């Protein structure tokens, strides 16, 4: 983009979206840049849509970024960096602070970065679900909301035992940050049995 758009250029892309069997064209984002090469700083998504819709648009923007910055054509192998992955950046401050504390604490203890990343991503998804259920702080997380994250209304298990262990690891570290709140949520986590393959 820095090679094709002069200063203060506005770009709009029309892309197909589907509602039932009908297709419509939607101008879904606009980018303004004051200087060449600064397109990753200022952008606007114009219309709110579902997570899947926005994920698709992020993929398109990411493909443009990879081509512009690195000359990569879309091939499914290069991930974009324009947006953060996971739910962390959508969380309220206290939820982010828990994950920040966990990361710093476990880095200091020497835990592998890949393990820290996996546990952080799982916990961010968990906390984002709590947030969607109305919790704006750890004190507002309810046992019903926690259980609904792991088990559906019909009793079907939605998350694995290892997923629960990842979340538990973050809250156990959080005991050294906000012990009463983290201990309370640890008590809400269901007892899940690890399934073994024969």
């Amino acid at each position: 983009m820095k090679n094709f758009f002069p200063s203060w250029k506005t770009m709009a892309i029309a892309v197909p979206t589907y509602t039932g069997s009908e297709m419509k064209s939607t101008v879904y984002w606009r980018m303004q840049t004051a200087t060449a090469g600064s397109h990753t700083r200022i952008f606007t998504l114009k219309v709110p849509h579902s997570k899947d819709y926005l994920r698709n648009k992020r993929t398109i923007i990411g493909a443009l970024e990879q081509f512009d910055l690195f000359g990569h054509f879309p091939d499914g192998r290069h991930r974009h960096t324009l947006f953060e992955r996971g739910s962390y950046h959508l969380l309220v401050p206290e939820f982010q602070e828990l994950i920040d504390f966990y990361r710093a604490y476990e880095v200091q203890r020497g835990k592998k970065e890949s393990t820290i990343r996996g546990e952080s991503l799982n916990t961010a998804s968990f906390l984002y679900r709590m947030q969607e259920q109305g919790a704006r702080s750890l004190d507002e997380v309810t046992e019903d909301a926690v259980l609904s994250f792991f088990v559906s209304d019909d009793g079907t298990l939605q998350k694995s035992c290892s997923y629960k262990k990842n979340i538990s690891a973050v809250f156990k570290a959080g005991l050294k940050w906000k012990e009463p709140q983290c201990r309370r949520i640890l008590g809400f986590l269901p007892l899940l049995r690890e399934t073994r393959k024969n």
Side-chain angles (χ1 to χ4, degrees):
M1 284 184 281
K2 61 175 178 274
N3 299 322
F4 304 112
F5 298 99
S7 297
W8 297 104
K9 186 71 176 181
T10 297
M11 182 174 73
I13 298 178
V15 296
T17 60
Y18 296 90
T19 303
S21 60
E22 297 180 358
M23 183 174 74
K24 63 181 180 179
S25 183
T26 303
V27 175
Y28 75 93
W29 69 280
R30 183 182 66 188
M31 185 180 293
Q32 290 182 321
T33 178
T35 58
S38 65
H39 63 278
T40 58
R41 272 206 311 270
I42 305 172
F43 65 93
T44 306
L45 285 173
K46 299 299 290 179
V47 184
H49 288 283
S50 70
K51 291 180 187 177
D52 288 339
Y53 181 93
L54 293 179
R55 187 178 298 114
N56 182 42
K57 304 315 164 222
R58 297 198 315 182
T59 300
I60 294 170
I61 296 171
L64 291 171
E65 181 203 27
Q66 285 293 327
F67 177 76
D68 180 49
L69 297 180
F70 309 110
H72 297 153
F73 286 94
D75 58 8
R77 292 198 301 268
H78 298 96
R79 289 191 179 277
H80 61 81
T81 57
L82 185 57
F83 296 92
E84 295 181 61
R85 294 187 64 204
S87 303
Y88 172 86
H89 62 291
L90 302 173
L91 297 175
V92 295
E94 187 177 37
F95 293 172
Q96 288 186 348
E97 287 169 19
L98 169 62
I99 294 175
D100 292 344
F101 175 86
Y102 158 78
R103 291 184 64 86
Y105 176 75
E106 294 297 3
V107 165
Q108 190 175 24
R109 292 180 67 226
K111 183 177 280 191
K112 288 173 57 177
E113 175 57 32
S114 59
T115 302
I116 293 174
R117 178 169 175 76
E119 291 174 349
S120 297
L121 285 171
N122 286 167
T123 305
S125 296
F126 167 75
L127 290 171
Y128 185 63
R129 175 71 70 81
M130 299 303 102
Q131 193 170 301
E132 288 183 317
Q133 298 288 327
R136 310 298 292 181
S137 69
L138 294 175
D139 285 327
E140 295 177 1
V141 173
T142 66
E143 184 173 14
D144 285 344
V146 172
L147 293 177
S148 71
F149 180 79
F150 291 96
V151 183
S152 66
D153 291 338
D154 63 3
T156 303
L157 190 64
Q158 299 184 117
K159 301 296 180 185
S160 67
C161 183
S162 61
Y163 200 108
K164 178 239 177 176
K165 285 182 177 178
N166 285 350
I167 294 170
S168 180
V170 174
F171 280 92
K172 283 179 180 177
L175 293 173
K176 298 186 178 297
W177 175 62
K178 289 188 175 181
E179 181 179 358
Q181 293 88 340
C182 291
R183 189 174 299 283
R184 175 175 165 272
I185 293 173
L186 279 169
F188 293 160
L189 297 178
L191 295 173
L192 302 179
R193 290 186 177 180
E194 193 132 22
T195 55
R196 296 182 179 178
K197 296 181 180 179
N198 295 327

